[in-house]
Amino acid sequence: MAQSDILRQQTAAGVRTAEIDAGLRAHMNKIYGTMSVGLVVTGLVAWALAGLAVTESPTQYMVRDGMYLTDLGYALYASPLKWVIMFAPLAFVFGLGAGINRLSTGAAQMVFYAFAAVMGASLSSIFLVYTSMSIAQVFFATAIGFAGLSLWGYTTKKDISGWGSFLFMGVIGIFAASLINIFLQSSALMFAVSAIGVLVFAGLTAYDTQRLKNEYLMAVAHPQGQSYLGKAAIMGALSLYINFINMFMMLLSLFGNRE
């Protein structure tokens, strides 16, 4: 083979690699962007509902001295509706996962934002339990930790795909223990679940980031793979969003200052 032909092949390979790298960065930026918008929606809905649910004017629903529930607050946090609000995000996750192939990319994105809003309603009660300063501090600490873990998962050369089954079993264990503790109300069990949960969702953050990166690289290697990338970005945003929210809640349980 002539030297000129070798140089052309090397140049073509270099251009192809640069295109893949640029496409991967754009794909990951879309994932992080969608996730970030979802977090903003969640925060705004949680803050707005908490403001409507609580009043300083005396009502028949007293939370503590100087804090009372409005009728909306009672419906959200004390009536049977609280169970619907608590488990509605889980229904959205399963529904989006099962129906993603039947939805357009735009519709899937709107379902994700609707899920984020429902999650905000489910989390709004934290404003009754923890101080606003504490919530803000734990949120920013979670954001810093999440960013570092996700960056490591993106850049590491180590294959961490083997973590998946172990972490998945950890999530099942945390979910089961949390359900049990709804009825037991054990502070020791809550502490254990929160401590283990931070480690599990920290690991999932790195694992999912590497998984999403590898899924993109596999998709661009197949002619039909790129057609799914729009929906894959939304599902990737959902995975990282869930990791962030759970890590935030676990850290808040451990380090949040209660009212």
Side-chain angles (χ1 to χ4, degrees), residues 123-134:
L123 297 182
S124 61
S125 61
I126 64 174
F127 288 95
L128 278 68
V129 180
Y130 301 96
T131 64
S132 297
M133 179 61 70
S134 177

Side-chain angles (χ1 to χ4, degrees), residues 27-28 31 208-216 232 236 240:
H27 180 69
M28 295 304 294
I31 289 175
D208 280 333
T209 301
Q210 186 179 86
R211 174 181 60 81
L212 295 170
K213 175 183 176 181
N214 291 337
E215 284 179 356
Y216 175 86
L240 294 181

Side-chain angles (χ1 to χ4, degrees), residues 16 213-229 232:
R16 175 61 175 164
K213 175 183 176 181
N214 291 337
E215 284 179 356
Y216 175 86
L217 296 176
M218 288 188 292
V220 297
H222 296 84
Q224 304 299 322
Q226 297 193 39
S227 62
Y228 184 69
L229 285 178

Side-chain angles (χ1 to χ4, degrees), residues 32 44 183 201 242 247:
Y32 290 126
L44 290 176
F183 304 100
F201 287 104
I242 290 173
M247 193 156 51

Side-chain angles (χ1 to χ4, degrees), residues 2-67:
Q3 185 176 4
S4 60
D5 293 333
I6 295 175
L7 289 174
R8 278 196 296 271
Q9 288 182 0
Q10 291 176 340
T11 301
V15 170
R16 175 61 175 164
T17 300
E19 289 177 350
I20 292 175
D21 288 343
L24 175 60
R25 287 193 297 271
H27 180 69
M28 295 304 294
N29 285 338
K30 183 175 181 180
I31 289 175
Y32 290 126
T34 303
M35 170 197 157
S36 298
V37 173
L39 288 174
V40 170
V41 171
T42 298
L44 290 176
V45 170
W47 176 77
L49 280 182
L52 294 173
V54 177
T55 178
E56 294 181 358
S57 302
T59 71
Q60 59 181 316
Y61 315 117
M62 186 176 74
V63 179
R64 60 177 182 271
D65 290 343
M67 178 179 286

